[in-house]
Amino acid sequence: MEDSKKSIGKGIDRIDGILKITGKATYATDYPANNMAYAVLFKSTIAAGRIKKIDSSEAESFPGVLKVITHENVPKLNVKGGLRGGALLQGPEITFHGEHIGIVVAETFEQATAAAHLIKVAYNQQTEKIDFEKLAKTPEMPKGKELADLVRGAGKSAMETAEVKVEETYETPIEHHHPMEPHATMAIWEGDKLTLYNGSQIINGAQTAAAATLNMKPEQVRIISPFIGGGFGSKGGQWANLVLAALAAKMVNRPVKLALTRQQMFNSVGLRQRNMQKLSIGATKDGKLIALAHEIISHTAVDNEFIEPCGDCTKIMYEVPNSLISYRVVPMNIILPTYTRGPGKSTGSFALESAMDELAYKLKMDPIELRIKNEPPKDPSNGKPWSSRTTVKCLQAGAKAFGWEKRKTEPGTNKIGNDLVGYGVACGTYPARQRDSSAIIKLNLKNKLVYATVEIAASDLGTGTNTILAQTAADGLGLPVNQVNIKLGDSDLPPAAGSVGSVGASSFANAVNDACIKITDELLTKSGKQFFVRPTAAQLMISENVADFQTRSDSKAPAEAEKYSSHSFNANFAEVRVNSITGMVKVTRFLAVTGAGKILNPKTARSQIIGGNVWGIGMALTEESVIDPRYGNFATRSFADYHVPTNLDIGSLDAMFINEEDLIPNKMGVKGIGEVGIVGVAAAVANAVFNATGKRVRSLPITPDKLL
């Protein structure tokens, strides 16, 4: 196909955009069902202890109430079925404030909500573990072997020989995902078959976890999730509400809808854990790194372990012969943490890239020059060659486009009125991987036009999956995009990877592309002819007058991919203004430059990067989930007090992509961008604040009280 006719690489509008702006896109609770009932969760008001007694008599007699479900009448579930965070009503134990302790099912949502307030619970309360600062003084070794101390060369002891040192502690707070669509499920039973309408980043993962927890076979459970209103990791693993909706539907023998409120989102579906990170960097006087230690203390649940890998960027970003990466953990009476956008990399890069900026200032060296000077020729963590690495290109292209030469080296010297102006830079990375995925393509000839339907159990988080798959199929089959129909978000379709960890685009697109190649080959064989120029599948359908044809492809990453280290890389540039009177910080300009292989659709890709940048700016300046030290609940429990940046908070945002061809991680050369867009962003903002004010804030978010 001529380049001018190709769809891939063009910034076409989302093919599902009209459905979304007209309200016709169907999310988890948008499906109609006869005789619908409504479920509302009620939760513990202590952080540690046991339920002594639940008095639900008043709620049970409330108008419209069909059932009150607690640990006293709930069926036995498989608590090791793969759901995250427990809270399945399987006993009286309480391990965090806000743990599910029951469900009210009623004719209406309002009746269920009102009845839930009538339930009286008595507890045997225990002393809760919620003081992170106190607990962090005596942390434990993680149970996971993958988090054992990682030592290279002489480890941290090499710091003693360094001529210039930075040794500081950086802190990031608890954050919450807060997608626009809260977690919600609609459950319908038909005999022993269960259909769950649910926002799921991993369709087949939700299917297997729900089935295993309910002691069912996967084929008895169907997940339907064509549209998801955001997830950011919280809908990657599934939580108790998924199965509790199914239980409620079974126990009242009616379809049931269970939607979490915004307040319930704070203690129902995980969070980004608080991290305390000590960064030690040693260098020669000319800026060559000789030692690097990244020592991390995090918290986890008292009954399960999750630790985000904050040292991942430190392992590979810079050439350093001696290093240590260590993790320690403190169990706390807080819900289990989970994957949150750019898990580990976004929080870890704040510490690493802030420390690199501090080192550059001590060396009186430009921060970009310091990073380029320590560019590693191969992956320092495993010795593998890079499939490609664009960090230097990102830095150089970004510096030119951003106007880095205007930056004043000495902090606090660039002032406009009452505003102090500063520039900051920071780098980031995220692995580029393809995961096993399958796709079916069905072709249909009608009135001399060929139409294609692509079927794959992929998910679209709102990132544009439908669109990039339509573009991929259009090019692979020789069709215009408007003759391609995409069917995804259903576990009855061919299995696919999830929209997590930046594997979605590469996994789904390669599965579809492989199916396009396969169906063209099969049509060529069917024709029995030889062609001087390979025809498209669409041309073969017409020339051979084939009414219907279909095939399935099961795609895996190339075997050679394991021999290389494959990543997306970026460089982030921030300009801030800090009001010298109020201490208010505003990001007036932000530029992200990313090397992420083939960009399937620059319009949706730019949207992804800018979304990640907004996340990172929120991380830097506004977002923090605060625990009430008296009870262990979150004092921040709505968007009124958990602050997410909006249009008025940020000036101009821009995204650039490095022209990069890297066919090693997958045949199409596609790398992920959803995660890398947040990595390094908070550090770029923090470094800009230091350049503006001369004040180094090492504990996020950077609020006015920390600058005045």
PDB file of all heavy atoms in Angstrom, residues 16-46:
ATOM      1  N   ASP A  16     -14.362   5.743  18.055  1.00  0.00           N
ATOM      2  CA  ASP A  16     -15.455   5.650  19.023  1.00  0.00           C
ATOM      3  C   ASP A  16     -15.760   7.002  19.661  1.00  0.00           C
ATOM      4  O   ASP A  16     -16.528   7.086  20.620  1.00  0.00           O
ATOM      5  CB  ASP A  16     -15.126   4.619  20.105  1.00  0.00           C
ATOM      6  CG  ASP A  16     -13.757   4.861  20.742  1.00  0.00           C
ATOM      7  OD1 ASP A  16     -13.061   5.806  20.330  1.00  0.00           O
ATOM      8  OD2 ASP A  16     -13.377   4.093  21.648  1.00  0.00           O
ATOM      9  N   GLY A  17     -15.169   8.063  19.132  1.00  0.00           N
ATOM     10  CA  GLY A  17     -15.333   9.386  19.724  1.00  0.00           C
ATOM     11  C   GLY A  17     -16.772   9.868  19.743  1.00  0.00           C
ATOM     12  O   GLY A  17     -17.234  10.438  20.747  1.00  0.00           O
ATOM     13  N   ILE A  18     -17.503   9.635  18.644  1.00  0.00           N
ATOM     14  CA  ILE A  18     -18.899  10.093  18.572  1.00  0.00           C
ATOM     15  C   ILE A  18     -19.748   9.374  19.616  1.00  0.00           C
ATOM     16  O   ILE A  18     -20.605   9.976  20.277  1.00  0.00           O
ATOM     17  CB  ILE A  18     -19.482   9.872  17.153  1.00  0.00           C
ATOM     18  CG1 ILE A  18     -18.692  10.696  16.123  1.00  0.00           C
ATOM     19  CG2 ILE A  18     -20.959  10.239  17.119  1.00  0.00           C
ATOM     20  CD1 ILE A  18     -18.767  12.204  16.343  1.00  0.00           C
ATOM     21  N   LEU A  19     -19.501   8.065  19.791  1.00  0.00           N
ATOM     22  CA  LEU A  19     -20.243   7.316  20.810  1.00  0.00           C
ATOM     23  C   LEU A  19     -20.028   7.922  22.190  1.00  0.00           C
ATOM     24  O   LEU A  19     -20.967   8.040  22.992  1.00  0.00           O
ATOM     25  CB  LEU A  19     -19.787   5.853  20.829  1.00  0.00           C
ATOM     26  CG  LEU A  19     -20.192   4.973  19.647  1.00  0.00           C
ATOM     27  CD1 LEU A  19     -19.567   3.593  19.795  1.00  0.00           C
ATOM     28  CD2 LEU A  19     -21.705   4.858  19.546  1.00  0.00           C
ATOM     29  N   LYS A  20     -18.810   8.338  22.455  1.00  0.00           N
ATOM     30  CA  LYS A  20     -18.501   8.851  23.791  1.00  0.00           C
ATOM     31  C   LYS A  20     -19.103  10.233  24.024  1.00  0.00           C
ATOM     32  O   LYS A  20     -19.669  10.496  25.086  1.00  0.00           O
ATOM     33  CB  LYS A  20     -16.984   8.874  23.997  1.00  0.00           C
ATOM     34  CG  LYS A  20     -16.395   7.475  24.152  1.00  0.00           C
ATOM     35  CD  LYS A  20     -14.922   7.497  24.457  1.00  0.00           C
ATOM     36  CE  LYS A  20     -14.421   6.093  24.763  1.00  0.00           C
ATOM     37  NZ  LYS A  20     -12.989   6.066  25.090  1.00  0.00           N
ATOM     38  N   ILE A  21     -18.988  11.113  23.051  1.00  0.00           N
ATOM     39  CA  ILE A  21     -19.482  12.475  23.291  1.00  0.00           C
ATOM     40  C   ILE A  21     -21.001  12.560  23.218  1.00  0.00           C
ATOM     41  O   ILE A  21     -21.597  13.523  23.701  1.00  0.00           O
ATOM     42  CB  ILE A  21     -18.843  13.501  22.322  1.00  0.00           C
ATOM     43  CG1 ILE A  21     -19.231  13.215  20.871  1.00  0.00           C
ATOM     44  CG2 ILE A  21     -17.347  13.549  22.490  1.00  0.00           C
ATOM     45  CD1 ILE A  21     -18.808  14.305  19.898  1.00  0.00           C
ATOM     46  N   THR A  22     -21.650  11.528  22.636  1.00  0.00           N
ATOM     47  CA  THR A  22     -23.119  11.506  22.598  1.00  0.00           C
ATOM     48  C   THR A  22     -23.715  10.637  23.704  1.00  0.00           C
ATOM     49  O   THR A  22     -24.931  10.467  23.787  1.00  0.00           O
ATOM     50  CB  THR A  22     -23.621  10.994  21.237  1.00  0.00           C
ATOM     51  OG1 THR A  22     -23.067   9.699  20.975  1.00  0.00           O
ATOM     52  CG2 THR A  22     -23.234  11.963  20.128  1.00  0.00           C
ATOM     53  N   GLY A  23     -22.846  10.068  24.544  1.00  0.00           N
ATOM     54  CA  GLY A  23     -23.339   9.258  25.653  1.00  0.00           C
ATOM     55  C   GLY A  23     -23.788   7.867  25.268  1.00  0.00           C
ATOM     56  O   GLY A  23     -24.458   7.187  26.053  1.00  0.00           O
ATOM     57  N   LYS A  24     -23.438   7.411  24.066  1.00  0.00           N
ATOM     58  CA  LYS A  24     -23.874   6.087  23.616  1.00  0.00           C
ATOM     59  C   LYS A  24     -22.869   4.980  23.927  1.00  0.00           C
ATOM     60  O   LYS A  24     -23.170   3.807  23.737  1.00  0.00           O
ATOM     61  CB  LYS A  24     -24.177   6.127  22.116  1.00  0.00           C
ATOM     62  CG  LYS A  24     -25.378   7.000  21.774  1.00  0.00           C
ATOM     63  CD  LYS A  24     -25.638   7.014  20.271  1.00  0.00           C
ATOM     64  CE  LYS A  24     -26.845   7.898  19.931  1.00  0.00           C
ATOM     65  NZ  LYS A  24     -27.093   7.976  18.467  1.00  0.00           N
ATOM     66  N   ALA A  25     -21.668   5.358  24.378  1.00  0.00           N
ATOM     67  CA  ALA A  25     -20.694   4.346  24.785  1.00  0.00           C
ATOM     68  C   ALA A  25     -21.186   3.689  26.073  1.00  0.00           C
ATOM     69  O   ALA A  25     -21.597   4.369  27.007  1.00  0.00           O
ATOM     70  CB  ALA A  25     -19.332   4.993  25.004  1.00  0.00           C
ATOM     71  N   THR A  26     -21.155   2.369  26.111  1.00  0.00           N
ATOM     72  CA  THR A  26     -21.719   1.636  27.243  1.00  0.00           C
ATOM     73  C   THR A  26     -20.628   1.244  28.239  1.00  0.00           C
ATOM     74  O   THR A  26     -19.752   0.445  27.924  1.00  0.00           O
ATOM     75  CB  THR A  26     -22.444   0.373  26.752  1.00  0.00           C
ATOM     76  OG1 THR A  26     -21.616  -0.300  25.794  1.00  0.00           O
ATOM     77  CG2 THR A  26     -23.771   0.723  26.124  1.00  0.00           C
ATOM     78  N   TYR A  27     -20.712   1.822  29.435  1.00  0.00           N
ATOM     79  CA  TYR A  27     -19.808   1.480  30.525  1.00  0.00           C
ATOM     80  C   TYR A  27     -20.483   0.442  31.424  1.00  0.00           C
ATOM     81  O   TYR A  27     -21.605   0.008  31.158  1.00  0.00           O
ATOM     82  CB  TYR A  27     -19.415   2.753  31.277  1.00  0.00           C
ATOM     83  CG  TYR A  27     -18.592   3.688  30.415  1.00  0.00           C
ATOM     84  CD1 TYR A  27     -19.212   4.634  29.594  1.00  0.00           C
ATOM     85  CD2 TYR A  27     -17.200   3.600  30.380  1.00  0.00           C
ATOM     86  CE1 TYR A  27     -18.467   5.472  28.772  1.00  0.00           C
ATOM     87  CE2 TYR A  27     -16.449   4.444  29.571  1.00  0.00           C
ATOM     88  CZ  TYR A  27     -17.084   5.375  28.767  1.00  0.00           C
ATOM     89  OH  TYR A  27     -16.336   6.194  27.953  1.00  0.00           O
ATOM     90  N   ALA A  28     -19.803   0.052  32.489  1.00  0.00           N
ATOM     91  CA  ALA A  28     -20.224  -1.117  33.268  1.00  0.00           C
ATOM     92  C   ALA A  28     -21.675  -1.067  33.734  1.00  0.00           C
ATOM     93  O   ALA A  28     -22.368  -2.082  33.716  1.00  0.00           O
ATOM     94  CB  ALA A  28     -19.296  -1.297  34.468  1.00  0.00           C
ATOM     95  N   THR A  29     -22.162   0.097  34.152  1.00  0.00           N
ATOM     96  CA  THR A  29     -23.515   0.164  34.713  1.00  0.00           C
ATOM     97  C   THR A  29     -24.549   0.688  33.715  1.00  0.00           C
ATOM     98  O   THR A  29     -25.666   1.029  34.108  1.00  0.00           O
ATOM     99  CB  THR A  29     -23.528   1.058  35.971  1.00  0.00           C
ATOM    100  OG1 THR A  29     -23.051   2.355  35.622  1.00  0.00           O
ATOM    101  CG2 THR A  29     -22.647   0.478  37.064  1.00  0.00           C
ATOM    102  N   ASP A  30     -24.179   0.744  32.443  1.00  0.00           N
ATOM    103  CA  ASP A  30     -25.076   1.318  31.432  1.00  0.00           C
ATOM    104  C   ASP A  30     -25.992   0.296  30.773  1.00  0.00           C
ATOM    105  O   ASP A  30     -26.813   0.665  29.928  1.00  0.00           O
ATOM    106  CB  ASP A  30     -24.265   2.023  30.340  1.00  0.00           C
ATOM    107  CG  ASP A  30     -23.634   3.310  30.827  1.00  0.00           C
ATOM    108  OD1 ASP A  30     -24.103   3.842  31.848  1.00  0.00           O
ATOM    109  OD2 ASP A  30     -22.672   3.778  30.196  1.00  0.00           O
ATOM    110  N   TYR A  31     -25.857  -0.971  31.110  1.00  0.00           N
ATOM    111  CA  TYR A  31     -26.630  -2.007  30.421  1.00  0.00           C
ATOM    112  C   TYR A  31     -27.988  -2.212  31.095  1.00  0.00           C
ATOM    113  O   TYR A  31     -28.080  -2.259  32.324  1.00  0.00           O
ATOM    114  CB  TYR A  31     -25.843  -3.322  30.414  1.00  0.00           C
ATOM    115  CG  TYR A  31     -24.587  -3.249  29.592  1.00  0.00           C
ATOM    116  CD1 TYR A  31     -23.402  -2.789  30.146  1.00  0.00           C
ATOM    117  CD2 TYR A  31     -24.585  -3.607  28.252  1.00  0.00           C
ATOM    118  CE1 TYR A  31     -22.239  -2.696  29.391  1.00  0.00           C
ATOM    119  CE2 TYR A  31     -23.439  -3.519  27.494  1.00  0.00           C
ATOM    120  CZ  TYR A  31     -22.265  -3.063  28.063  1.00  0.00           C
ATOM    121  OH  TYR A  31     -21.125  -2.963  27.307  1.00  0.00           O
ATOM    122  N   PRO A  32     -29.038  -2.347  30.313  1.00  0.00           N
ATOM    123  CA  PRO A  32     -30.362  -2.580  30.903  1.00  0.00           C
ATOM    124  C   PRO A  32     -30.532  -4.047  31.305  1.00  0.00           C
ATOM    125  O   PRO A  32     -29.935  -4.941  30.713  1.00  0.00           O
ATOM    126  CB  PRO A  32     -31.318  -2.214  29.761  1.00  0.00           C
ATOM    127  CG  PRO A  32     -30.531  -2.512  28.512  1.00  0.00           C
ATOM    128  CD  PRO A  32     -29.092  -2.226  28.844  1.00  0.00           C
ATOM    129  N   ALA A  33     -31.329  -4.281  32.316  1.00  0.00           N
ATOM    130  CA  ALA A  33     -31.667  -5.646  32.728  1.00  0.00           C
ATOM    131  C   ALA A  33     -33.011  -5.604  33.440  1.00  0.00           C
ATOM    132  O   ALA A  33     -33.309  -4.661  34.170  1.00  0.00           O
ATOM    133  CB  ALA A  33     -30.597  -6.228  33.645  1.00  0.00           C
ATOM    134  N   ASN A  34     -33.819  -6.608  33.210  1.00  0.00           N
ATOM    135  CA  ASN A  34     -35.124  -6.680  33.864  1.00  0.00           C
ATOM    136  C   ASN A  34     -34.962  -6.992  35.351  1.00  0.00           C
ATOM    137  O   ASN A  34     -34.122  -7.802  35.749  1.00  0.00           O
ATOM    138  CB  ASN A  34     -35.985  -7.764  33.207  1.00  0.00           C
ATOM    139  CG  ASN A  34     -36.354  -7.399  31.782  1.00  0.00           C
ATOM    140  OD1 ASN A  34     -36.537  -6.223  31.463  1.00  0.00           O
ATOM    141  ND2 ASN A  34     -36.451  -8.401  30.916  1.00  0.00           N
ATOM    142  N   ASN A  35     -35.788  -6.333  36.155  1.00  0.00           N
ATOM    143  CA  ASN A  35     -35.847  -6.631  37.588  1.00  0.00           C
ATOM    144  C   ASN A  35     -34.525  -6.335  38.308  1.00  0.00           C
ATOM    145  O   ASN A  35     -34.103  -7.081  39.192  1.00  0.00           O
ATOM    146  CB  ASN A  35     -36.238  -8.101  37.802  1.00  0.00           C
ATOM    147  CG  ASN A  35     -36.925  -8.318  39.133  1.00  0.00           C
ATOM    148  OD1 ASN A  35     -37.501  -7.393  39.711  1.00  0.00           O
ATOM    149  ND2 ASN A  35     -36.869  -9.542  39.630  1.00  0.00           N
ATOM    150  N   MET A  36     -33.879  -5.249  37.925  1.00  0.00           N
ATOM    151  CA  MET A  36     -32.582  -4.891  38.502  1.00  0.00           C
ATOM    152  C   MET A  36     -32.703  -4.568  39.984  1.00  0.00           C
ATOM    153  O   MET A  36     -33.631  -3.878  40.419  1.00  0.00           O
ATOM    154  CB  MET A  36     -32.015  -3.675  37.767  1.00  0.00           C
ATOM    155  CG  MET A  36     -30.666  -3.202  38.286  1.00  0.00           C
ATOM    156  SD  MET A  36     -29.335  -4.295  37.794  1.00  0.00           S
ATOM    157  CE  MET A  36     -29.232  -3.846  36.043  1.00  0.00           C
ATOM    158  N   ALA A  37     -31.738  -5.056  40.775  1.00  0.00           N
ATOM    159  CA  ALA A  37     -31.597  -4.680  42.180  1.00  0.00           C
ATOM    160  C   ALA A  37     -30.278  -3.927  42.347  1.00  0.00           C
ATOM    161  O   ALA A  37     -29.385  -4.014  41.498  1.00  0.00           O
ATOM    162  CB  ALA A  37     -31.637  -5.910  43.070  1.00  0.00           C
ATOM    163  N   TYR A  38     -30.163  -3.226  43.463  1.00  0.00           N
ATOM    164  CA  TYR A  38     -28.999  -2.365  43.674  1.00  0.00           C
ATOM    165  C   TYR A  38     -28.312  -2.726  44.989  1.00  0.00           C
ATOM    166  O   TYR A  38     -28.971  -2.885  46.024  1.00  0.00           O
ATOM    167  CB  TYR A  38     -29.416  -0.891  43.672  1.00  0.00           C
ATOM    168  CG  TYR A  38     -29.963  -0.476  42.327  1.00  0.00           C
ATOM    169  CD1 TYR A  38     -31.293  -0.736  41.994  1.00  0.00           C
ATOM    170  CD2 TYR A  38     -29.156   0.127  41.376  1.00  0.00           C
ATOM    171  CE1 TYR A  38     -31.796  -0.400  40.747  1.00  0.00           C
ATOM    172  CE2 TYR A  38     -29.645   0.477  40.127  1.00  0.00           C
ATOM    173  CZ  TYR A  38     -30.967   0.210  39.819  1.00  0.00           C
ATOM    174  OH  TYR A  38     -31.455   0.543  38.578  1.00  0.00           O
ATOM    175  N   ALA A  39     -26.989  -2.846  44.924  1.00  0.00           N
ATOM    176  CA  ALA A  39     -26.207  -3.223  46.097  1.00  0.00           C
ATOM    177  C   ALA A  39     -25.346  -2.051  46.550  1.00  0.00           C
ATOM    178  O   ALA A  39     -24.790  -1.320  45.728  1.00  0.00           O
ATOM    179  CB  ALA A  39     -25.325  -4.425  45.786  1.00  0.00           C
ATOM    180  N   VAL A  40     -25.244  -1.889  47.859  1.00  0.00           N
ATOM    181  CA  VAL A  40     -24.379  -0.875  48.460  1.00  0.00           C
ATOM    182  C   VAL A  40     -23.539  -1.550  49.535  1.00  0.00           C
ATOM    183  O   VAL A  40     -24.062  -2.285  50.377  1.00  0.00           O
ATOM    184  CB  VAL A  40     -25.205   0.284  49.060  1.00  0.00           C
ATOM    185  CG1 VAL A  40     -24.335   1.174  49.950  1.00  0.00           C
ATOM    186  CG2 VAL A  40     -25.839   1.111  47.951  1.00  0.00           C
ATOM    187  N   LEU A  41     -22.234  -1.298  49.502  1.00  0.00           N
ATOM    188  CA  LEU A  41     -21.331  -1.848  50.501  1.00  0.00           C
ATOM    189  C   LEU A  41     -21.371  -1.010  51.774  1.00  0.00           C
ATOM    190  O   LEU A  41     -21.502   0.212  51.711  1.00  0.00           O
ATOM    191  CB  LEU A  41     -19.901  -1.865  49.964  1.00  0.00           C
ATOM    192  CG  LEU A  41     -19.624  -2.771  48.759  1.00  0.00           C
ATOM    193  CD1 LEU A  41     -18.269  -2.435  48.158  1.00  0.00           C
ATOM    194  CD2 LEU A  41     -19.670  -4.233  49.163  1.00  0.00           C
ATOM    195  N   PHE A  42     -21.271  -1.670  52.929  1.00  0.00           N
ATOM    196  CA  PHE A  42     -20.980  -0.907  54.149  1.00  0.00           C
ATOM    197  C   PHE A  42     -19.667  -1.421  54.714  1.00  0.00           C
ATOM    198  O   PHE A  42     -19.281  -2.571  54.503  1.00  0.00           O
ATOM    199  CB  PHE A  42     -22.131  -0.935  55.159  1.00  0.00           C
ATOM    200  CG  PHE A  42     -22.597  -2.290  55.610  1.00  0.00           C
ATOM    201  CD1 PHE A  42     -22.115  -2.855  56.786  1.00  0.00           C
ATOM    202  CD2 PHE A  42     -23.564  -2.984  54.889  1.00  0.00           C
ATOM    203  CE1 PHE A  42     -22.574  -4.086  57.226  1.00  0.00           C
ATOM    204  CE2 PHE A  42     -24.029  -4.222  55.326  1.00  0.00           C
ATOM    205  CZ  PHE A  42     -23.529  -4.778  56.494  1.00  0.00           C
ATOM    206  N   LYS A  43     -18.966  -0.511  55.443  1.00  0.00           N
ATOM    207  CA  LYS A  43     -17.560  -0.733  55.721  1.00  0.00           C
ATOM    208  C   LYS A  43     -17.219  -0.573  57.193  1.00  0.00           C
ATOM    209  O   LYS A  43     -17.971   0.029  57.960  1.00  0.00           O
ATOM    210  CB  LYS A  43     -16.730   0.263  54.891  1.00  0.00           C
ATOM    211  CG  LYS A  43     -16.774  -0.006  53.384  1.00  0.00           C
ATOM    212  CD  LYS A  43     -16.250   1.191  52.611  1.00  0.00           C
ATOM    213  CE  LYS A  43     -15.833   0.805  51.210  1.00  0.00           C
ATOM    214  NZ  LYS A  43     -14.563   0.078  51.164  1.00  0.00           N
ATOM    215  N   SER A  44     -16.064  -1.093  57.571  1.00  0.00           N
ATOM    216  CA  SER A  44     -15.617  -1.015  58.955  1.00  0.00           C
ATOM    217  C   SER A  44     -15.253   0.421  59.328  1.00  0.00           C
ATOM    218  O   SER A  44     -14.785   1.193  58.486  1.00  0.00           O
ATOM    219  CB  SER A  44     -14.397  -1.904  59.181  1.00  0.00           C
ATOM    220  OG  SER A  44     -13.264  -1.374  58.514  1.00  0.00           O
ATOM    221  N   THR A  45     -15.448   0.755  60.588  1.00  0.00           N
ATOM    222  CA  THR A  45     -15.076   2.079  61.096  1.00  0.00           C
ATOM    223  C   THR A  45     -13.897   1.991  62.061  1.00  0.00           C
ATOM    224  O   THR A  45     -13.610   2.941  62.785  1.00  0.00           O
ATOM    225  CB  THR A  45     -16.276   2.750  61.794  1.00  0.00           C
ATOM    226  OG1 THR A  45     -16.763   1.879  62.821  1.00  0.00           O
ATOM    227  CG2 THR A  45     -17.380   3.045  60.794  1.00  0.00           C
ATOM    228  N   ILE A  46     -13.231   0.845  62.072  1.00  0.00           N
ATOM    229  CA  ILE A  46     -11.971   0.695  62.806  1.00  0.00           C
ATOM    230  C   ILE A  46     -10.928   0.163  61.834  1.00  0.00           C
ATOM    231  O   ILE A  46     -11.265  -0.361  60.765  1.00  0.00           O
ATOM    232  CB  ILE A  46     -12.096  -0.252  64.020  1.00  0.00           C
ATOM    233  CG1 ILE A  46     -12.408  -1.688  63.552  1.00  0.00           C
ATOM    234  CG2 ILE A  46     -13.147   0.251  65.000  1.00  0.00           C
ATOM    235  CD1 ILE A  46     -12.260  -2.724  64.646  1.00  0.00           C
TER     236      ILE A  46
END
